[in-house]
Amino acid sequence: SFAAAPGIQRALTVGGIECRGIDRANFRVLVAPARPAVLVECGFLTNAGDAAKLNTQQYRSKVAAAVARGVADYLAAR
């Protein structure tokens, strides 16, 4: 759900994870899904700095925790 995106972005930012903003797109996973959907891009493997961070369990856990926190905040507010 697009409504969940600001909370996820906020949690990522609070967690010290760079965020490039929120956008809408017609990606198949986002168009008329059976359940609410948000696509989170956590970095670019073609970027050496992003790839190095994404290759560590610590960073992946940090991103996952922030996304979970954002979803939980969204659900709690409903």
Side-chain angles (χ1 to χ4, degrees):
S1 168
F2 191 79
I8 295 170
Q9 180 184 27
R10 189 170 29 262
L12 288 165
T13 301
V14 167
I17 300 162
E18 180 184 359
C19 229
R20 291 181 160 189
I22 298 170
D23 201 1
R24 290 181 185 260
N26 288 325
F27 296 120
R28 182 172 293 273
V29 296
L30 300 176
V31 177
R35 293 171 179 77
V38 174
L39 175 64
V40 178
E41 295 184 13
C42 303
F44 300 95
L45 295 178
T46 54
N47 177 296
D50 286 355
K53 287 191 291 187
L54 288 165
N55 203 31
T56 68
Q57 179 63 43
Q58 179 183 5
Y59 185 75
R60 290 191 309 268
S61 292
K62 184 177 175 178
V63 171
V67 171
R69 188 169 35 258
V71 171
D73 290 348
Y74 165 73
L75 293 173
R78 293 192 71 199

